[in-house]
Amino acid sequence: MPIFERYLSVWVALAIIAGLGLGQIAPALVNFLASLEYGSINFVVAVLIWFMVYPMMVGVDFTSLARVHERPKGLIITLTVNWLIKPFTMAALGVLFFEYVFAPFIEPGTAGQYIAGMILLGAAPCTAMVFVWSQLTKGDPNYTLVQVSLNDVIMIFAFAPIVALLLGVTDITVPWETLVLSVVLYIVVPLTAGVITRLYLTRGARNAAEGEATVGAFTAQVKPFSIIGLLATVVLLFGFQGEVILDRPLIILLIAIPLLIQSYGMFAVAYWAAKAWRVPHKVAAPCAMIGTSNFFELAVAVAIGLFGLNSIAALVTVVGVLVEVPVMLSLVWFANRTRHWFPLEETPIRNPRAKTHS
């Protein structure tokens, strides 16, 4: 794992400090950058988000969906966790903690913003960093690619309805136009650009391996822009949130607690399901990782689009970035030390209608 990604939480923490300092030293600049928006879409942040997302989308190979039928157990577990469990448990934890447990410690009337930020994180499964977690646990790279590709396709159609449903259930007004626009801007557009770039890079390849090598070399070159975009967005967010955070520094801890519970809880559900279903470790580990981590770049972008650059919802999604990397590294450590719990190969799913012969 490259040192920059290994210590991503450190860089995010430094970006937070830089943002707080910028907000105090140059508030006029921060306010000017925040004012560069149209229809709740901030132009500066939009460009930074594209920097974040585009390198990841180049790495997605939709031809891998032809192998979606292979090793179905891991896919069933991941899709169940990602789309039928995770968004709803995240919303439930948000309601529990911010409407009840932490209600005395937050500003009256702001619980909905905290809950909204958690919902946006919960409805966006990871599409990029999961490749790193898979590699660190010696996961099957082809299986991981299938997982990511399938989740990206589902996300295009399911993200907005799930977010709208959960925001509606929690009595938060749903601006459908902004939500759909955010999905188009931050999923469809970079995904389309990634597909076009991938086709261009692989057009002259003599075989699949050569094509992947070309794509890998390109993404390695542009990946630093993704990290720069993320850190610059964090600086802006915390520059705008500076007064709130400096007045109430406990707020970061309050946000982190339910996020930690959600992360470890989702990993436990997926990992133990894979163990019970006798899924091999090279599939079980990335299967659990993708169900645990979040597409925080998308969550940050949509939170800003829906609620504004200086919103608490946007702050929640950035704290998600701060929490995720150390959590995922701890889960990588755990997964590597429990490899012996799993079989080497996947056992086929039995057809209950099949007849046995003596």
Side-chain angles (χ1 to χ4, degrees):
M1 185 178 184
I3 188 170
F4 209 84
E5 292 178 352
R6 181 180 292 273
Y7 295 104
L8 181 58
S9 288
V10 175
W11 315 134
V12 170
L14 292 175
I16 288 172
I17 295 171
L20 294 174
L22 183 65
Q24 298 299 306
I25 297 169
L29 174 62
V30 173
N31 290 332
F32 170 72
L33 294 174
S35 68
L36 300 175
E37 65 176 23
Y38 178 79
S40 298
I41 301 297
N42 183 275
F43 298 127
V44 177
V45 173
V47 172
L48 294 175
I49 295 294
W50 287 328
F51 272 118
M52 277 193 255
V53 178
Y54 169 69
M56 307 168 194
M57 297 307 188
V58 176
V60 176
D61 180 11
F62 285 107
T63 62
S64 65
L65 292 177
R67 303 193 302 272
V68 73
H69 62 284
E70 299 174 5
R71 293 175 173 164
K73 293 181 179 179
L75 281 172
I76 291 171
I77 292 170
T78 304
L79 295 179
T80 300
V81 170
N82 277 348
W83 300 107
L84 298 180
I85 299 176
K86 183 178 175 182
F88 304 95
T89 56
M90 189 73 101
L93 284 171
V95 171
L96 172 64
F97 278 94
F98 293 107
E99 288 195 353
Y100 299 99
V101 179
F102 294 156
F105 307 106
I106 63 175
E107 292 291 332
T110 61
Q113 288 270 322
Y114 291 96
I115 297 167
M118 293 190 64
I119 288 171
L120 291 172
L121 282 171
C126 186
T127 65
M129 288 294 285
V130 71
F131 288 111
V132 176
W133 314 133
S134 177
Q135 182 182 9
L136 291 176
T137 55
K138 298 180 181 178
D140 185 326
N142 293 324
Y143 169 79
T144 305
L145 185 59
V146 171
Q147 287 273 59
V148 170
S149 301
L150 184 57
N151 271 284
D152 276 345
V153 171
I154 294 173
M155 199 183 315
I156 292 172
F157 302 100
F159 179 79
I162 288 176
V163 168
L165 170 66
L166 292 175
L167 291 179
V169 168
T170 53
D171 295 325
I172 300 170
T173 302
V174 182
W176 263 101
E177 297 83 0
T178 305
L179 181 56
V180 173
L181 178 60
S182 296
V183 171
V184 172
L185 282 177
Y186 304 125
I187 301 179
V188 178
V189 170
L191 190 57
T192 302
V195 169
I196 293 172
T197 303
R198 188 181 185 90
L199 291 173
Y200 175 79
L201 292 171
T202 58
R203 71 193 189 288
R206 289 169 292 185
N207 52 56
E210 183 178 320
E212 285 301 317
T214 304
V215 171
F218 176 80
T219 54
Q221 290 178 337
V222 298
K223 199 167 187 178
F225 292 102
S226 178
I227 302 296
I228 291 170
L230 171 63
L231 297 181
T233 304
V234 171
V235 170
L236 283 180
L237 285 171
F238 278 83
F240 216 75
Q241 293 275 2
E243 291 298 329
V244 175
I245 296 168
L246 292 174
D247 289 343
R248 309 189 71 179
L250 183 64
I251 198 170
I252 303 298
L253 177 62
L254 297 185
I255 295 170
I257 289 173
L259 292 180
L260 288 169
I261 294 171
Q262 169 79 2
S263 296
Y264 286 115
M266 288 302 96
F267 179 86
V269 169
Y271 204 61
W272 286 104
K275 180 177 181 294
W277 213 357
R278 296 190 57 75
V279 176
H281 189 268
K282 62 184 177 181
V283 171
C287 157
M289 296 292 176
I290 197 172
T292 304
S293 55
N294 304 305
F295 189 179
F296 49 73
E297 296 87 352
L298 173 64
V300 170
V302 178
I304 293 170
L306 291 179
F307 302 102
L309 187 60
N310 63 333
S311 65
I312 292 174
L315 177 63
V316 171
T317 59
V318 172
V319 175
V321 184
L322 189 65
V323 167
E324 176 158 323
V325 175
V327 166
M328 297 306 295
L329 287 174
S330 71
L331 293 175
V332 165
W333 177 89
F334 178 79
N336 284 334
R337 279 154 183 78
T338 53
R339 190 180 305 275
H340 60 281
W341 290 359
F342 298 83
L344 293 177
E345 295 298 334
E346 183 161 347
T347 53
I349 298 177
R350 293 182 179 179
N351 183 351
R353 295 182 179 179
K355 297 181 179 180
T356 57
H357 300 278
S358 57

